[in-house]
Amino acid sequence: MNIKRSIVTRVRVAFLAICLFAFAIIYKVGYIQFKDGDKWKELAQEKRFHYQPIFATRGNIYSNDERIMATSLPFYRVAFDPTISKDEVFRDGIDSLALQLSRFYGDRSADYYKRKIKNARLSKRKYVRINNRLINYQEKKAMAKWPIFRAGKNKGGVIFEKLDRRFLPFGSLAKRTIGFLNEDKKGAGLEFSFNRHLAGKDGEALYERMAGGNKPIYDGTEVKPLPGFDIRTTIDINLQDVAESALYKALTLNDAAHGCVILMEVSTGEIKAIANLGKAGPGVYVEDYNYAVGNQGRTEPGSTFKLASMMALLEDSDMKLTDTIDTGNGSMRIGGAVKTDTHGNGKITLQQVFEKSSNVGIAKLIQEHFGNDPQKYVDYLFKFGLHQPLGFQMNGEAVPYIKTPKDRSWSRPSLSTMAIGYELKISPLQTLAFYNAVANNGVKVQPIIVKEIKRADQVLEKFEAKVLNPKICSDETLAELKLMMEGVVEKGTAKNLKSKDYKVAGKTGTARKVIKGQYTKKYSTSFVGYFPADRPKYSCIVIIDSPNRNAQYGGDVAAPVFRELADKAYAQDLAIHAPMVRRPANVAPKLPSLHAGNQEELTLLCNKLGVSAHPVNPEEDWIRVDTQKHSVAMKPVPVKEGRVPDVKDMTLKDALYLLENQGLKVRASGLGRVKAQSVPAGVPVRKGMWITITLERNGTTTKPIAGDTVLAIARAY
């Protein structure tokens, strides 16, 4: 009996506890719903709506003659608010819309798109991403005319989210120099180094969080983004093309690990071409790293450093090029270290020591003159600025390493070893700047690769090369150094560079590679110099690292690349040959020279210039201009989906935009505006169709030179 009463009591207590807990839950729900309801509704509203950035369009990157090297093209992602349209509009258009979407994207059936949209409408979802594939501007215009969509954003619910994609019209040409910027704001090249100019200023807009994505809310509070500035580089596209092709050919011929080329204008410091290629597989080379500037390219230079040793020797002594030194059988020992030549030269002059690139000769000269005070030799290297970075415009410049007697690794052989380009490290760009100073009559200038920051035609900032050292050495030393470098090409280790058209001065280099702390039989081959030697216009350096075929010396491996690029530069620069005949200035026309293009842009230009412009149809995007006596008439240029557009008289950028958006593959030849197209306007576009457009400037066709100006323009996606 007592057990039964105990059980009943426990059940009653448990039941009472459950009831109390249930009442507590009901009370809490009511409290939250009625007492704190406003607070939680306000919090939910704050979480539901938020501001997010609208990214600005990045600025363009131009070559020295203002050809586009990198630009941003607009693409769109299609989304939809199926709850906006009225019942009858939705009912009448959903079948046709689903069929259009199925045909356009080609990935799902019409029933799939119909179910997806109807289900979203029934569940009152205000944001549905139709497809992740991006569409171009012409596709967007066509899609805006489809059922339901044609009612627009506010009545039809279609949402076109604009996204910019970076496009390189010249493909991989100068790709590593142009560089990149990833989502984490990390990158390389000009895109990274000049990001604060190119990026512009992002705007912002109110977005509503929804299943499937964020829907923009255009309530008037949105801030429009400001597009980025353009940058104009010093790069010559034609010379860049030759530099890359010559380097690629040398790398594949010698099965080398990597290489780089830099071509610079002597007096201005402007870099006209810079190419970097690394091995990605058998016979395959890509621009994987900036070996010309960065840390991976900072190596022991070898014999090209002998110019600095000879400069220090001539500055600190009264020696002449006709003085002699005995190199014996081509071998010498200093403090247990052995210096060797490829063969014995016996007693030779200082001129011949440099021409033959004698390790023994240079090592003995420096050891005999600076052996009692090696710091004095190092001080000369510091005076020449070889221990400091150049302050180059692009991020990632390597810091040179010049050993001093205070370093713990300094030993008795260090002085003679440094004299021939070992136990120190310097980048190709820093080596070139030093040689360029000799060509520039002793004035050491800072290399530059960007000339201007621009907004349209307005120059916002201009860059000129800084003078790093107004006089690197005496005029007497300069004259002797120039003779030595000319002798290297005339009768020394680079005789294969000798040309009947112009003189070259320079120095070959062959440096043994250090792998795992040991010198190996792998070499870094190089040639650095300038041309024409009697009136220097360009300086150039070529590095070919670890050639694996029979050729192992700078004169055999690197010098041919120098020759090919020098021939091209000399051929196209008429100022080197003879002064150009001055032409009388043309009388400026009363009206601007307008032809064809985007109506909004040309109208804005006319307004800025105060020219009366009369559009025939203000709704048209593309027009052709008829210049009249005191005004211009704008006639529409119809662009039909699936048909070849008429791009005559348009700029290359506008022509590329229209043709690429129709799915055409484009080849362009010449400079200026389009004067002819190989496929007539109105012809139906077939898949994979190519079209060639010919451009002219001032009524004269620019003749292509050995294919350098003929471009194969790939699609951006």
Side-chain angles (χ1 to χ4, degrees), residues 431-450:
T431 299
L432 179 62
F434 178 65
Y435 274 74
N436 190 82
V438 176
N440 198 28
N441 293 321
V443 181
K444 187 177 182 180
V445 297
Q446 180 188 60
I448 63 169
I449 197 168
V450 173

Side-chain angles (χ1 to χ4, degrees), residues 136-139 641 656-663 717:
N136 58 38
Y137 178 73
Q138 292 300 324
E139 291 170 332
E641 184 66 24
L656 280 176
Y657 182 81
L658 283 177
L659 296 171
E660 289 282 352
N661 279 331
Q662 293 293 346
Y717 51 93

Side-chain angles (χ1 to χ4, degrees), residues 249-310:
K249 183 166 59 178
L251 291 170
T252 53
L253 181 64
N254 295 282
D255 190 28
H258 62 78
C260 65
V261 178
I262 314 171
L263 180 72
M264 186 164 72
E265 217 169 51
V266 169
S267 60
T268 65
E270 293 182 4
I271 292 177
K272 295 302 178 183
I274 178 169
N276 297 274
L277 293 173
K279 193 172 188 177
V284 179
Y285 292 88
V286 296
E287 286 205 305
D288 59 346
Y289 186 80
N290 195 340
Y291 299 102
V293 178
N295 281 316
Q296 289 188 36
R298 187 191 72 159
T299 60
E300 294 175 310
S303 294
T304 55
F305 198 78
K306 291 173 182 175
L307 182 71
S309 296
M310 292 301 294

Side-chain angles (χ1 to χ4, degrees), residues 243 246-261 275 277 285 291 299 428 509-511 513 522-527 541-549 551-554 556-562:
L247 179 62
Y248 192 95
K249 183 166 59 178
L251 291 170
T252 53
L253 181 64
N254 295 282
D255 190 28
H258 62 78
C260 65
V261 178
L277 293 173
Y285 292 88
Y291 299 102
T299 60
T510 306
K513 298 280 293 179
K522 294 282 187 180
Y523 298 91
S524 175
T525 65
S526 58
F527 183 86
I541 186 170
V542 179
I543 307 285
I544 305 291
D545 190 88
S546 302
N548 287 317
R549 300 277 164 78
Q552 297 288 333
Y553 297 101
D556 300 321
V557 180
V561 179
F562 184 101

